[in-house]
Amino acid sequence: MNESRITVAMPKGRIFDDACRLLRNAGFSLPDTFESTRKLILDLDDEPFRFILAKPVDVPTYVEYGAVDIGIAGKDVLLESGRDVYEMVDLGISKCHMAVAGLPQHRSSNPYLKIATKYPHIASDYYRKRGEQVDLIALNGSIELAPIVGLADAIVDIVSTGQTLRENGLVEFDRLMDISSRLIVNPVSYRLKKKAIDQIVEKMIRATEGNKVGMD
Ligand code: PRP
């Protein structure tokens, strides 16, 4: 591994285009093919940067273990993973919120509410703080299906436009927290490459101006 090179984990999928746009605004010359390639490792021609393209949920893992120096990850993924990384910048992109939702006027006959979610840690923390005992059902996607088919009484999931809830006849019961993407840094990398990382952080802060939401 080139010692002077900075390695960056990028989240594939939903956040990716927003993150690329922000990096270009920050002055990084990402090639035009960046968004369309199937390559998983991409080096910049003129700058000492290597990007890896990972599943969003895995970005904090790559960063915590030092496989890369920095990464871009949603606050939802960060809270759920509990990974030991420095959260340096609220990038203000890919904004959404975490909510409890379900069918309107649903009455549960279960002794404990059944809650389906991709975020068992966030959900269990939420219900523990409320003093409510629930049965958590971990799913990997299409969470909105669960109350409709009777698998769960409610869901804890992210809501962006609200379209998925609306089109499936679900309503929000409670709003847990605002979510946006964050720039995260490996603590050891930060010690060893502080100057280079601080420069990136400054560029990203400048690029996010106007995009910012409050840090949680
Ligand atoms: C997320 C989330 C909701 C949806 C919300 O799912 O889990 O299902 O987006 O977006 P909306 O409010 O704009 O409709 P995602 O698309 O990431 O796919 P998933 O179902 O595989 O989790």
Side-chain angles (χ1 to χ4, degrees), residues 14 118 140-144 157-165:
R14 208 179 252 259
K118 255 190 307 197
N140 292 303
S142 301
I143 311 298
E144 291 82 358
D157 198 18
I158 55 167
V159 179
S160 178
T161 61
Q163 191 178 350
T164 313
L165 290 183

